[in-house]
Amino acid sequence: MVLHDFRRLRGQRHLLALVVFLALVSAVWFVPLASAHNSLITATLGCDGGATYTATAWAGPSTASRTNSDVRVFRSTDNGKTWTQVGQGQFKQADAFSFSGTFSVGSSPTVRVMVQEFANWGDGVHPAPPGYATATRPSHCTTTTTTTTTGTTGTTTTTTATTTTPPPTTTTTVTTTPPPPPPAPPTTPPVIPPSPAIAIVKTERVGHTGAYRRGPISVAVGQTLDFQILVTNTGDVAVTLTLTDRLCDAGTLRAAGTTTLAPGASVTYTCTHRLVTADASPFVNTAFVTAATATGAVIGPVSSSVSANRVRGVLGATFKKVTPKAKPAKAVAAPAHFTG
Amino acid sequence: MTANALPATAGRAGTSIVAQATGSSVTVFRTPSATRPFHVFRNSDADGSPLVFLVRRQARGWDQVRLPMRPNGSLGWVRARAVTLALDTYRLTVSLRRHRITVWRGGRAIARDPVAVGRSSLPTPPGVYYLTDLLRQADPQGAYGPYAFGLSAFSEVLETFGGGPGQIGLHGTNEPGLLGTSASHGCIRVANSVITRLARILPLGTPVVIAP
């Protein structure tokens, strides 16, 4: 319809007035979560009700879930460099938490969405790894524009036209010269930027024996806790990890392999801590990991915690061994003088 | 030094450690690094019962134990070589409010029975204690029933009672109608059939947790 209007006005001597329109491009997205530690995020980016694009992201390994996890929703239009909180909510296991919002993405071709637990952890103890999703601007949008023209007689004509074009990103000037043909749709699919993501799971055991567990476990002062931290690159781009674990004993934190992970790869860190009297009970130890891509984007920190309850008594072999079982008391024949 | 924390365990659910004196006496220290003892217990008291303690925690060469003395909840350290240790899978819990005793073995409740506890003017003191004596009574139909256990607890009101030091006991009764009430002078009374059963199975040193 816009082309038709331009042809009708081409015979006139006067230039058409300069028509400036700013098209608002909006993004509408939707974030469902399957559970706190098993998140499936879908981001949908559209413009003015036009075509949509959907991307999904996997937020990390699944563990036990409880109810009423509190989550915050962030979005980024600069590929994860800066994040803006745009929502907050709560969901229960097996329910879907959804949040939708509309905002201008400007000239950004993509929008990233992150959902992060911040309270009432799904497993009751640890925050789930944050989930990410990336959506790319659709190749075409249906945009309604209003054009105002002024003729030599001073008449004003207002027309409304709807067209399908690439999403407008800047101010557009229209003149009386033959209008340009509609732009051809792109011949190559949109490029989806890399979506880095990591997952971390920490486990523990006591006394250098037995299997690592999520805990909590029991430990006595003087015993040594072993920690194992498994970090997995769950994104689609290689990342370099930086892991901190403040309560590990100095010099015990080490990685069993390279800390630069290809997508899907994992690395295991280990460290130890010998429980001392000054340690709190329960002894909660949290590992934080951040990941950097080759382009400098940093995600995280993502954390995982384990706890150990301090117990009194003998758990190690450094003390006197207690083997015999106490025998029933031998009654002594004597009058009692208790309080009665 | 006092403490009302739950009894020490040996790393197994519901298992405690009992220390029995090996010599004629046991010296008790405030800390393992103390140079002088603060108390000496004679092994075998006036009734001939062996001296036992309930172990609260352990250190190399030392055991921290609960002490059968005033104030209630007293703790001290004894040299590990002065005692032999044994595992006790039994534990008693007494609810003063519910007038009920529960017998635990290995973390499982194996019996629950009504008790009479101290009246409001002579209350049974809450805390963590242990069995120190087992006395067979000449008159099974008497006020103490056929058996009476002594506890490491003492009345907070009575300094002496019947010629004794005001020690709290767990024993039978000749007034079974008062079970389930607060009627005693501070002792824990159970049915004679119950105390007879307990006397057959419980070692000295068995923890007794008295809850309000």
Side-chain angles (χ1 to χ4, degrees):
Chain A
M1 289 180 66
V2 170
L3 294 177
H4 177 74
D5 291 337
F6 283 140
R7 290 191 189 99
R8 186 167 61 81
L9 295 169
R10 190 167 53 185
Q12 298 181 8
R13 290 186 305 149
H14 298 285
L15 290 176
L16 291 172
L18 193 63
V19 179
V20 178
F21 62 92
L22 177 67
L24 293 177
V25 179
S26 64
V28 179
W29 40 277
F30 173 71
V31 185
L33 286 173
S35 73
H37 283 259
N38 199 2
S39 305
L40 180 65
I41 300 171
T42 300
T44 303
L45 180 63
C47 49
D48 294 339
T52 61
Y53 180 85
T54 300
T56 60
W58 187 250
S62 173
T63 62
S65 284
R66 295 205 305 191
T67 58
N68 296 330
S69 284
D70 292 316
V71 295
R72 287 179 179 144
V73 184
F74 301 83
R75 57 96 170 164
S76 171
T77 56
D78 56 5
N79 199 26
K81 292 177 181 175
T82 59
W83 293 92
T84 303
Q85 182 178 335
V86 292
Q88 178 172 319
Q90 190 178 68
F91 73 99
K92 296 179 179 179
Q93 183 179 7
D95 286 347
F97 165 75
S98 64
F99 182 87
S100 63
T102 302
F103 56 88
S104 171
V105 298
S107 60
S108 172
T110 64
V111 60
R112 296 194 63 202
V113 179
M114 175 173 69
V115 178
Q116 194 169 42
E117 273 188 301
F118 71 95
N120 295 325
W121 316 128
D123 67 356
V125 181
H126 315 100
Y132 296 90
T134 300
T136 301
R137 182 193 299 274
S139 58
H140 282 74
C141 297
T142 300
T143 305
T144 301
T145 60
T146 300
T147 305
T148 302
T149 61
T150 303
T152 53
T153 59
T155 58
T156 298
T157 302
T158 301
T159 59
T160 299
T162 301
T163 185
T164 299
T165 65
T169 56
T170 60
T171 300
T172 302
T173 301
V174 180
T175 67
T176 57
T177 55
T187 56
T188 56
V191 177
I192 303 173
S195 179
I198 50 175
I200 178 172
V201 178
K202 186 171 186 175
T203 52
E204 63 183 347
R205 68 180 184 182
V206 67
H208 311 307
T209 59
Y212 284 93
R213 296 189 295 159
R214 287 286 295 153
I217 62 176
S218 297
V219 62
V221 169
Q223 289 194 302
T224 299
L225 287 163
D226 301 326
F227 300 106
Q228 189 177 71
I229 305 131
L230 176 66
V231 182
T232 303
N233 181 353
T234 55
D236 55 6
V237 60
V239 294
T240 299
L241 306 177
T242 301
L243 185 137
T244 58
D245 200 322
R246 189 174 59 84
L247 295 180
C248 288
D249 288 343
T252 64
L253 180 62
R254 50 182 64 94
T258 178
T259 56
T260 297
L261 300 181
S266 299
V267 64
T268 299
Y269 293 80
T270 57
C271 69
T272 63
H273 174 71
R274 188 171 185 270
L275 201 73
V276 297
T277 307
D279 286 328
S281 181
F283 179 75
V284 180
N285 195 357
T286 304
F288 296 89
V289 63
T290 58
T293 66
T295 60
V298 176
I299 63 171
V302 181
S303 65
S304 179
S305 301
V306 291
S307 66
N309 296 316
R310 193 160 77 190
V311 297
R312 302 184 184 94
V314 190
L315 288 177
T318 58
F319 304 110
K320 192 173 178 179
K321 198 170 181 182
V322 183
T323 51
K325 189 175 177 181
K327 296 176 181 175
K330 290 181 181 176
V332 176
H337 300 290
F338 305 131
T339 53
Chain B
M1 185 184 296
T2 62
N4 280 319
L6 288 174
T9 69
R12 303 181 197 172
T15 302
S16 59
I17 303 173
V18 177
Q20 181 167 339
T22 55
S24 59
S25 64
V26 174
T27 53
V28 184
F29 298 79
R30 296 280 186 199
T31 67
S33 58
T35 55
R36 291 167 50 183
F38 80 96
H39 195 82
V40 178
F41 286 96
R42 288 182 54 196
N43 193 3
S44 283
D45 60 13
D47 299 323
S49 297
L51 177 62
V52 297
F53 304 99
L54 174 59
V55 177
R56 183 171 183 264
R57 58 186 289 209
Q58 293 195 300
R60 195 182 301 274
W62 292 85
D63 296 307
Q64 187 187 40
V65 297
R66 300 181 183 278
L67 301 174
M69 62 184 294
R70 296 179 189 269
N72 286 326
S74 293
L75 300 173
W77 289 86
V78 300
R79 289 191 176 90
R81 64 173 181 267
V83 294
T84 59
L85 303 180
L87 298 175
D88 184 0
T89 58
Y90 287 97
R91 182 164 57 100
L92 303 177
T93 56
V94 177
S95 171
L96 299 178
R97 184 170 59 85
R98 296 180 180 177
H99 300 94
R100 186 167 294 273
I101 188 171
T102 304
V103 184
W104 302 80
R105 184 173 61 197
R108 276 187 53 227
I110 60 172
R112 288 189 176 87
D113 295 289
V115 296
V117 298
R119 63 194 72 163
S120 59
S121 59
L122 299 170
T124 304
V128 179
Y129 309 103
Y130 66 93
L131 302 177
T132 58
D133 313 90
L134 175 58
L135 306 180
R136 185 173 59 249
Q137 299 303 290
D139 179 10
Q141 306 305 318
Y144 294 100
Y147 293 96
F149 282 102
L151 271 61
S152 60
F154 292 83
S155 171
E156 303 282 10
V157 179
L158 300 172
E159 292 294 323
T160 62
F161 185 88
Q167 184 179 3
I168 301 296
L170 166 65
H171 53 73
T173 181
N174 58 358
E175 297 178 297
L178 295 180
L179 295 176
T181 68
S182 299
S184 78
H185 302 89
C187 278
I188 302 162
R189 302 177 186 172
V190 296
N192 288 347
S193 60
V194 173
I195 198 66
T196 301
R197 191 170 70 237
L198 295 180
R200 291 192 186 123
I201 61 174
L202 296 182
L204 297 184
T206 295
V208 182
V209 181
I210 301 176

mmCIF file of all heavy atoms in Angstrom, chain B residues 102-133:
data_model
loop_
_atom_site.group_PDB
_atom_site.id
_atom_site.type_symbol
_atom_site.label_atom_id
_atom_site.label_comp_id
_atom_site.label_asym_id
_atom_site.label_seq_id
_atom_site.Cartn_x
_atom_site.Cartn_y
_atom_site.Cartn_z
ATOM 1 N N THR B 102 10.788 -43.116 77.700
ATOM 2 C CA THR B 102 10.965 -43.881 76.467
ATOM 3 C C THR B 102 12.324 -44.553 76.522
ATOM 4 O O THR B 102 13.326 -43.917 76.866
ATOM 5 C CB THR B 102 10.885 -42.971 75.230
ATOM 6 O OG1 THR B 102 9.637 -42.275 75.253
ATOM 7 C CG2 THR B 102 10.989 -43.779 73.942
ATOM 8 N N VAL B 103 12.331 -45.829 76.219
ATOM 9 C CA VAL B 103 13.575 -46.602 76.175
ATOM 10 C C VAL B 103 13.984 -46.752 74.712
ATOM 11 O O VAL B 103 13.176 -47.191 73.888
ATOM 12 C CB VAL B 103 13.398 -47.986 76.825
ATOM 13 C CG1 VAL B 103 14.729 -48.727 76.861
ATOM 14 C CG2 VAL B 103 12.814 -47.846 78.221
ATOM 15 N N TRP B 104 15.213 -46.346 74.431
ATOM 16 C CA TRP B 104 15.727 -46.403 73.058
ATOM 17 C C TRP B 104 16.851 -47.432 72.993
ATOM 18 O O TRP B 104 17.658 -47.530 73.915
ATOM 19 C CB TRP B 104 16.279 -45.043 72.624
ATOM 20 C CG TRP B 104 15.291 -43.932 72.694
ATOM 21 C CD1 TRP B 104 14.911 -43.232 73.799
ATOM 22 C CD2 TRP B 104 14.527 -43.389 71.618
ATOM 23 N NE1 TRP B 104 13.968 -42.290 73.493
ATOM 24 C CE2 TRP B 104 13.714 -42.360 72.146
ATOM 25 C CE3 TRP B 104 14.441 -43.672 70.252
ATOM 26 C CZ2 TRP B 104 12.847 -41.617 71.357
ATOM 27 C CZ3 TRP B 104 13.580 -42.921 69.468
ATOM 28 C CH2 TRP B 104 12.792 -41.907 70.012
ATOM 29 N N ARG B 105 16.882 -48.152 71.916
ATOM 30 C CA ARG B 105 18.010 -49.045 71.663
ATOM 31 C C ARG B 105 18.440 -48.872 70.209
ATOM 32 O O ARG B 105 17.648 -49.105 69.293
ATOM 33 C CB ARG B 105 17.641 -50.506 71.916
ATOM 34 C CG ARG B 105 18.842 -51.452 71.744
ATOM 35 C CD ARG B 105 18.511 -52.866 72.150
ATOM 36 N NE ARG B 105 17.436 -53.402 71.321
ATOM 37 C CZ ARG B 105 16.702 -54.470 71.627
ATOM 38 N NH1 ARG B 105 16.916 -55.101 72.764
ATOM 39 N NH2 ARG B 105 15.753 -54.898 70.827
ATOM 40 N N GLY B 106 19.664 -48.413 70.032
ATOM 41 C CA GLY B 106 20.186 -48.225 68.682
ATOM 42 C C GLY B 106 19.378 -47.242 67.864
ATOM 43 O O GLY B 106 19.219 -47.402 66.659
ATOM 44 N N GLY B 107 18.827 -46.234 68.525
ATOM 45 C CA GLY B 107 18.065 -45.231 67.796
ATOM 46 C C GLY B 107 16.599 -45.591 67.616
ATOM 47 O O GLY B 107 15.846 -44.815 67.029
ATOM 48 N N ARG B 108 16.165 -46.756 68.108
ATOM 49 C CA ARG B 108 14.762 -47.157 67.983
ATOM 50 C C ARG B 108 14.105 -47.181 69.350
ATOM 51 O O ARG B 108 14.689 -47.709 70.312
ATOM 52 C CB ARG B 108 14.647 -48.543 67.355
ATOM 53 C CG ARG B 108 14.700 -48.541 65.839
ATOM 54 C CD ARG B 108 14.397 -49.933 65.297
ATOM 55 N NE ARG B 108 13.157 -50.471 65.826
ATOM 56 C CZ ARG B 108 13.035 -51.713 66.302
ATOM 57 N NH1 ARG B 108 14.059 -52.504 66.332
ATOM 58 N NH2 ARG B 108 11.876 -52.139 66.751
ATOM 59 N N ALA B 109 12.918 -46.649 69.456
ATOM 60 C CA ALA B 109 12.177 -46.701 70.717
ATOM 61 C C ALA B 109 11.633 -48.101 70.899
ATOM 62 O O ALA B 109 10.928 -48.623 70.031
ATOM 63 C CB ALA B 109 11.051 -45.673 70.693
ATOM 64 N N ILE B 110 11.965 -48.710 72.019
ATOM 65 C CA ILE B 110 11.503 -50.080 72.243
ATOM 66 C C ILE B 110 10.463 -50.155 73.353
ATOM 67 O O ILE B 110 9.830 -51.195 73.537
ATOM 68 C CB ILE B 110 12.684 -51.016 72.573
ATOM 69 C CG1 ILE B 110 13.405 -50.554 73.843
ATOM 70 C CG2 ILE B 110 13.655 -51.091 71.403
ATOM 71 C CD1 ILE B 110 14.459 -51.542 74.323
ATOM 72 N N ALA B 111 10.286 -49.076 74.112
ATOM 73 C CA ALA B 111 9.246 -49.096 75.154
ATOM 74 C C ALA B 111 8.906 -47.669 75.549
ATOM 75 O O ALA B 111 9.778 -46.796 75.567
ATOM 76 C CB ALA B 111 9.723 -49.874 76.376
ATOM 77 N N ARG B 112 7.643 -47.471 75.867
ATOM 78 C CA ARG B 112 7.187 -46.193 76.416
ATOM 79 C C ARG B 112 6.267 -46.504 77.594
ATOM 80 O O ARG B 112 5.349 -47.313 77.451
ATOM 81 C CB ARG B 112 6.431 -45.364 75.369
ATOM 82 C CG ARG B 112 7.310 -44.767 74.292
ATOM 83 C CD ARG B 112 6.520 -43.781 73.434
ATOM 84 N NE ARG B 112 7.376 -43.128 72.448
ATOM 85 C CZ ARG B 112 7.653 -43.605 71.255
ATOM 86 N NH1 ARG B 112 7.132 -44.757 70.892
ATOM 87 N NH2 ARG B 112 8.439 -42.945 70.431
ATOM 88 N N ASP B 113 6.539 -45.868 78.717
ATOM 89 C CA ASP B 113 5.759 -46.168 79.922
ATOM 90 C C ASP B 113 5.513 -44.882 80.702
ATOM 91 O O ASP B 113 6.320 -43.944 80.648
ATOM 92 C CB ASP B 113 6.513 -47.164 80.804
ATOM 93 C CG ASP B 113 6.669 -48.522 80.137
ATOM 94 O OD1 ASP B 113 5.663 -49.231 80.005
ATOM 95 O OD2 ASP B 113 7.793 -48.852 79.708
ATOM 96 N N PRO B 114 4.418 -44.864 81.479
ATOM 97 C CA PRO B 114 4.142 -43.672 82.290
ATOM 98 C C PRO B 114 5.081 -43.602 83.490
ATOM 99 O O PRO B 114 5.544 -44.628 83.990
ATOM 100 C CB PRO B 114 2.688 -43.867 82.723
ATOM 101 C CG PRO B 114 2.481 -45.343 82.673
ATOM 102 C CD PRO B 114 3.351 -45.856 81.565
ATOM 103 N N VAL B 115 5.335 -42.390 83.934
ATOM 104 C CA VAL B 115 6.204 -42.177 85.090
ATOM 105 C C VAL B 115 5.549 -41.147 85.997
ATOM 106 O O VAL B 115 4.712 -40.355 85.583
ATOM 107 C CB VAL B 115 7.609 -41.656 84.681
ATOM 108 C CG1 VAL B 115 8.346 -42.677 83.841
ATOM 109 C CG2 VAL B 115 7.516 -40.327 83.952
ATOM 110 N N ALA B 116 5.991 -41.178 87.246
ATOM 111 C CA ALA B 116 5.702 -40.076 88.165
ATOM 112 C C ALA B 116 6.996 -39.292 88.332
ATOM 113 O O ALA B 116 8.076 -39.884 88.465
ATOM 114 C CB ALA B 116 5.228 -40.613 89.513
ATOM 115 N N VAL B 117 6.895 -37.999 88.278
ATOM 116 C CA VAL B 117 8.081 -37.144 88.398
ATOM 117 C C VAL B 117 7.872 -36.162 89.548
ATOM 118 O O VAL B 117 6.826 -36.145 90.192
ATOM 119 C CB VAL B 117 8.360 -36.394 87.075
ATOM 120 C CG1 VAL B 117 8.654 -37.377 85.954
ATOM 121 C CG2 VAL B 117 7.193 -35.487 86.714
ATOM 122 N N GLY B 118 8.877 -35.318 89.767
ATOM 123 C CA GLY B 118 8.854 -34.419 90.902
ATOM 124 C C GLY B 118 7.689 -33.444 90.873
ATOM 125 O O GLY B 118 7.317 -32.934 89.822
ATOM 126 N N ARG B 119 7.126 -33.239 92.053
ATOM 127 C CA ARG B 119 6.059 -32.243 92.167
ATOM 128 C C ARG B 119 6.643 -30.854 91.949
ATOM 129 O O ARG B 119 7.872 -30.676 91.901
ATOM 130 C CB ARG B 119 5.393 -32.352 93.537
ATOM 131 C CG ARG B 119 6.328 -32.049 94.684
ATOM 132 C CD ARG B 119 5.771 -32.493 96.015
ATOM 133 N NE ARG B 119 5.796 -33.947 96.136
ATOM 134 C CZ ARG B 119 5.688 -34.606 97.309
ATOM 135 N NH1 ARG B 119 5.537 -33.918 98.445
ATOM 136 N NH2 ARG B 119 5.716 -35.904 97.365
ATOM 137 N N SER B 120 5.783 -29.865 91.813
ATOM 138 C CA SER B 120 6.251 -28.535 91.430
ATOM 139 C C SER B 120 7.216 -27.943 92.455
ATOM 140 O O SER B 120 8.126 -27.190 92.099
ATOM 141 C CB SER B 120 5.058 -27.596 91.222
ATOM 142 O OG SER B 120 4.298 -27.510 92.420
ATOM 143 N N SER B 121 7.064 -28.307 93.714
ATOM 144 C CA SER B 121 7.949 -27.763 94.747
ATOM 145 C C SER B 121 9.271 -28.526 94.833
ATOM 146 O O SER B 121 10.242 -28.021 95.388
ATOM 147 C CB SER B 121 7.250 -27.781 96.098
ATOM 148 O OG SER B 121 6.876 -29.108 96.428
ATOM 149 N N LEU B 122 9.300 -29.722 94.285
ATOM 150 C CA LEU B 122 10.508 -30.557 94.310
ATOM 151 C C LEU B 122 10.737 -31.104 92.892
ATOM 152 O O LEU B 122 10.644 -32.309 92.657
ATOM 153 C CB LEU B 122 10.355 -31.719 95.307
ATOM 154 C CG LEU B 122 10.133 -31.316 96.762
ATOM 155 C CD1 LEU B 122 9.751 -32.532 97.601
ATOM 156 C CD2 LEU B 122 11.416 -30.691 97.320
ATOM 157 N N PRO B 123 11.011 -30.243 91.961
ATOM 158 C CA PRO B 123 10.998 -30.679 90.549
ATOM 159 C C PRO B 123 12.160 -31.598 90.205
ATOM 160 O O PRO B 123 13.247 -31.514 90.773
ATOM 161 C CB PRO B 123 11.102 -29.353 89.787
ATOM 162 C CG PRO B 123 11.813 -28.438 90.725
ATOM 163 C CD PRO B 123 11.366 -28.825 92.104
ATOM 164 N N THR B 124 11.899 -32.456 89.250
ATOM 165 C CA THR B 124 12.959 -33.272 88.654
ATOM 166 C C THR B 124 13.761 -32.368 87.720
ATOM 167 O O THR B 124 13.180 -31.718 86.850
ATOM 168 C CB THR B 124 12.337 -34.439 87.857
ATOM 169 O OG1 THR B 124 11.478 -35.174 88.730
ATOM 170 C CG2 THR B 124 13.407 -35.342 87.291
ATOM 171 N N PRO B 125 15.077 -32.295 87.887
ATOM 172 C CA PRO B 125 15.843 -31.321 87.088
ATOM 173 C C PRO B 125 16.032 -31.792 85.642
ATOM 174 O O PRO B 125 16.545 -32.892 85.418
ATOM 175 C CB PRO B 125 17.187 -31.256 87.818
ATOM 176 C CG PRO B 125 17.319 -32.580 88.495
ATOM 177 C CD PRO B 125 15.921 -33.001 88.862
ATOM 178 N N PRO B 126 15.645 -30.972 84.650
ATOM 179 C CA PRO B 126 15.892 -31.349 83.254
ATOM 180 C C PRO B 126 17.396 -31.324 82.959
ATOM 181 O O PRO B 126 18.167 -30.591 83.588
ATOM 182 C CB PRO B 126 15.171 -30.257 82.452
ATOM 183 C CG PRO B 126 14.279 -29.571 83.421
ATOM 184 C CD PRO B 126 14.928 -29.705 84.760
ATOM 185 N N GLY B 127 17.814 -32.115 81.984
ATOM 186 C CA GLY B 127 19.221 -32.128 81.592
ATOM 187 C C GLY B 127 19.619 -33.485 81.044
ATOM 188 O O GLY B 127 18.780 -34.380 80.873
ATOM 189 N N VAL B 128 20.898 -33.618 80.797
ATOM 190 C CA VAL B 128 21.445 -34.876 80.287
ATOM 191 C C VAL B 128 22.257 -35.527 81.403
ATOM 192 O O VAL B 128 23.222 -34.932 81.898
ATOM 193 C CB VAL B 128 22.336 -34.640 79.053
ATOM 194 C CG1 VAL B 128 22.905 -35.959 78.554
ATOM 195 C CG2 VAL B 128 21.549 -33.953 77.956
ATOM 196 N N TYR B 129 21.865 -36.712 81.784
ATOM 197 C CA TYR B 129 22.507 -37.423 82.886
ATOM 198 C C TYR B 129 22.780 -38.863 82.461
ATOM 199 O O TYR B 129 22.602 -39.230 81.297
ATOM 200 C CB TYR B 129 21.604 -37.374 84.134
ATOM 201 C CG TYR B 129 21.132 -35.971 84.478
ATOM 202 C CD1 TYR B 129 19.834 -35.544 84.179
ATOM 203 C CD2 TYR B 129 21.993 -35.053 85.078
ATOM 204 C CE1 TYR B 129 19.411 -34.252 84.480
ATOM 205 C CE2 TYR B 129 21.573 -33.760 85.384
ATOM 206 C CZ TYR B 129 20.284 -33.374 85.075
ATOM 207 O OH TYR B 129 19.876 -32.093 85.370
ATOM 208 N N TYR B 130 23.160 -39.678 83.436
ATOM 209 C CA TYR B 130 23.360 -41.098 83.121
ATOM 210 C C TYR B 130 23.164 -41.925 84.379
ATOM 211 O O TYR B 130 23.122 -41.386 85.500
ATOM 212 C CB TYR B 130 24.738 -41.328 82.493
ATOM 213 C CG TYR B 130 25.907 -41.068 83.416
ATOM 214 C CD1 TYR B 130 26.473 -42.099 84.178
ATOM 215 C CD2 TYR B 130 26.456 -39.802 83.537
ATOM 216 C CE1 TYR B 130 27.561 -41.872 85.007
ATOM 217 C CE2 TYR B 130 27.528 -39.555 84.378
ATOM 218 C CZ TYR B 130 28.081 -40.598 85.108
ATOM 219 O OH TYR B 130 29.140 -40.346 85.941
ATOM 220 N N LEU B 131 23.027 -43.225 84.170
ATOM 221 C CA LEU B 131 22.810 -44.138 85.289
ATOM 222 C C LEU B 131 24.136 -44.405 85.989
ATOM 223 O O LEU B 131 25.133 -44.737 85.346
ATOM 224 C CB LEU B 131 22.216 -45.462 84.795
ATOM 225 C CG LEU B 131 20.892 -45.367 84.027
ATOM 226 C CD1 LEU B 131 20.457 -46.747 83.539
ATOM 227 C CD2 LEU B 131 19.802 -44.735 84.891
ATOM 228 N N THR B 132 24.130 -44.255 87.317
ATOM 229 C CA THR B 132 25.375 -44.427 88.071
ATOM 230 C C THR B 132 25.355 -45.660 88.973
ATOM 231 O O THR B 132 26.409 -46.191 89.315
ATOM 232 C CB THR B 132 25.642 -43.194 88.957
ATOM 233 O OG1 THR B 132 24.524 -43.015 89.834
ATOM 234 C CG2 THR B 132 25.841 -41.950 88.104
ATOM 235 N N ASP B 133 24.185 -46.073 89.411
ATOM 236 C CA ASP B 133 24.083 -47.185 90.352
ATOM 237 C C ASP B 133 22.865 -48.025 89.997
ATOM 238 O O ASP B 133 21.902 -47.505 89.421
ATOM 239 C CB ASP B 133 23.865 -46.694 91.801
ATOM 240 C CG ASP B 133 24.805 -45.579 92.200
ATOM 241 O OD1 ASP B 133 24.433 -44.406 91.980
ATOM 242 O OD2 ASP B 133 25.884 -45.892 92.712
#
